Structure formats: structure tokens, C-alpha cells
Amino acid sequence: MKRKPIIAANWKMHMTPQETDEFLRSFNRLLGSRDVVDVVIAPPFVSLAAAADATRPSENIAIAAQNMSPEPAGAFTGEISARMIKELDCDYVILGHSERRTLFGETDDYIQRKVSAALDARIKPILCVGETLEERDANKLEEVLERQLRAGMKDVNRSRADDLVIAYEPVWAIGTGRTASAEQAQEAHAFIRKVLTELYDAEVAGQICIQYGGSVKPANIAELISQEDVDGALVGGASLEVDSFFGIIKGAEEHVRDTTA
Ligand code: 13P
């Protein structure tokens, strides 16, 4: 079997603590004790505690923050540190999402500092990379991915590299209903794994989970995840309803069962 898939919900700026509690209690009942894929939920900061409480008895759902500061503590009004999210049971943190890059001006260098701070706190970064439509049209896909990866992983040595998850999210496919085709996703994921092989070696590159993100839904997960280098999904809109997020998990599970049967 290839890597164990990770299906993650990025709720963005949705879900109050109460909505988080309601969602996760019904989702947990549906999910039961299945363990074919790893499930991660990334609520907004204020809903992290509710998420941890609602999922606590089950070992099946991990919690992620959607962002964090690279600074350990200090006079940074409005910021949240790695230690703070760790105390709220976060095993993962999404870093470098394209919305952080484009709407909040986060640079490769700034994201790299966050990656290191997360790893130091024993939180697994989900490092997002991906090209805009202009960059793709200008044949800059590989250049952009390589720059984002090399910068983001600059201070990550070989022994820590497999704690990272990479999420390939083509910016033009986020929230647009336009998914990359399975071939486009595979091509980008294979390129990412090639860069990881150059940065580390084939063994480490073969262990790192590379998720696809961008308009993933129950109807397209099977085709995406059946690609050799696609190891899961980072889901926005379709993760906000229990049934559709569960449908994505079931779609991924069926694929894993088919390939291991
Ligand atoms: P959508 O699934 O809504 O396209 O969002 C993808 C995304 O940005 C996940 O991080």
C-alpha cells in the first residue's frame, strides 16, 4: 500500500464553537471506529477547544489549527503561538495556505519560520503549495512549486521531514468548483515528490503524504486518490456538511480497500 491517506477538513472562517460541537458529535457517530484513513479537522482558533472536547473519546479524529505565529511568545497582538495550539490538542497546523499568502501577505520566508516553530513544538505542519492560473498559463507550475517547497522546508532536516504533510492546492481550483483533473493533480504531485527526493532522498520522499486540495467532493475523491502520488485531500467547502465530508472519507476508504484487497 502507498502512504495512509489523510483527509483533512479546512473549515476556514466557518463554524462557531457550538456549531463545531454539533458537527463533530454527529460526524463522530457516523465515523465510528474506522481507521483506514486519517481524519483531521481544522476549525477556527476559537473552536479548537470545542473540537478537542467533542472528539476526545475517539482516537480517530485529529485536530489542526489553520495558522499560527512563528514567534514563541511576546507582544504580537492578535497572534497565536505553537504552544497555545499544542495545549488545545492540535497535532497538525495548516501553514502557507494560499489565502494566507495572497490575502494576508505571507511570504515563503515567513512561512518557513512557522514550519520550524511548529516542528519544534511537535506539531505536524500541513505546508500548502500551489500555483495561480496566471502562473500555470505561463508554464511556471514547476518553478512555483519548487520555490515554495525549497523555501518552506529550508530548515527541515532529514530526520524531521516525514513529520510534514504537503498539500498541493492549485489556487485556481480553490472554492471555484473547478477541480484539477486527476492527471493534472498526479503530474504536480509527482513533481513535488521529485523535489522532496532531491531535498532528502527517495526513502523520505516516499514517506511524505501529499494531499490534493481544491474543490474536492464525494464525486471526485475516488479518481483523485487513485493517482499514485495523491495521498489524501484538504477539503474546504465540502467539509462543512457532515454528509459530504463523510462521503469523501468513504470514497477514499473504498479506494484503499480496493487497492489492498
Ligand atoms: P475548497 O474545497 O472549498 O475548494 O477549498 C480548498 C481549500 O482551500 C482547502 O484548504
Side-chain angles (χ1 to χ4, degrees):
M1 188 174 94
K2 57 178 193 178
R3 298 143 294 269
K4 186 176 183 188
I6 302 177
I7 307 291
N10 176 9
W11 283 350
K12 308 191 180 184
M13 200 170 72
H14 298 280
M15 299 283 198
T16 66
Q18 191 180 329
E19 288 162 351
T20 298
D21 182 72
E22 284 162 11
F23 181 107
L24 287 173
R25 286 188 196 281
S26 40
F27 180 70
N28 227 348
R29 274 195 296 276
L30 271 179
L31 195 65
S33 58
R34 46 167 47 86
D35 185 32
V36 181
V37 305
D38 284 335
V39 178
V40 178
I41 305 277
F45 287 128
V46 295
S47 299
L48 286 172
D53 281 348
T55 55
R56 192 156 284 139
S58 122
E59 305 264 292
N60 287 335
I61 304 174
I63 310 291
Q66 297 175 15
N67 183 26
M68 55 165 246
S69 168
E71 305 294 342
F76 301 101
T77 302
E79 290 292 274
I80 304 282
S81 72
R83 238 182 95 219
M84 291 170 183
I85 61 173
K86 184 73 185 172
E87 204 171 303
L88 291 177
D89 288 341
C90 286
D91 290 324
Y92 294 89
V93 60
I94 299 172
L95 296 177
H97 191 280
S98 70
E99 286 148 20
R100 300 295 322 167
R101 293 177 191 262
T102 55
L103 303 175
F104 300 95
E106 292 194 9
T107 61
D108 284 327
D109 187 47
Y110 191 56
I111 294 161
Q112 172 267 315
R113 291 180 50 218
K114 296 184 183 205
V115 169
S116 293
L119 288 170
D120 287 346
R122 302 194 174 281
I123 300 169
K124 296 176 184 171
I126 300 178
L127 172 64
C128 302
V129 297
E131 81 291 1
T132 62
L133 193 55
E134 297 74 58
E135 289 165 338
R136 175 171 276 267
D137 287 346
N139 281 325
K140 291 196 172 147
L141 169 69
E142 295 191 350
E143 181 187 320
V144 170
L145 294 182
E146 184 157 4
R147 190 199 72 228
Q148 292 174 337
L149 282 169
R150 285 188 183 274
M153 303 186 76
K154 193 171 92 194
D155 285 338
V156 181
N157 62 29
R158 186 182 188 280
S159 66
R160 304 205 295 183
D162 63 353
D163 279 336
L164 249 93
V165 174
I166 307 292
Y168 169 61
E169 298 206 307
V171 179
W172 47 272
I174 296 177
T176 58
R178 217 182 127 183
T179 324
S181 68
E183 294 72 34
Q184 286 173 321
Q186 169 56 24
E187 196 181 32
H189 283 228
F191 178 74
I192 289 169
R193 209 174 301 283
K194 177 171 158 267
V195 175
L196 295 174
T197 307
E198 286 164 16
L199 282 172
Y200 304 102
D201 55 41
E203 190 191 341
V204 170
Q207 285 163 356
I208 296 178
C209 181
I210 308 175
Q211 299 176 305
Y212 169 81
S215 300
V216 174
K217 350 181 220 300
N220 58 25
I221 184 66
E223 203 191 355
L224 287 162
I225 207 157
S226 60
Q227 303 302 309
E228 175 61 27
D229 289 293
V230 177
D231 308 316
L234 185 55
V235 187
S239 72
L240 294 170
E241 299 289 336
V242 170
D243 288 345
S244 62
F245 189 52
F246 186 62
I248 291 171
I249 289 165
K250 274 202 317 202
E253 272 183 354
E254 273 156 32
H255 166 73
V256 174
R257 287 213 186 85
D258 287 352
T259 51
T260 51

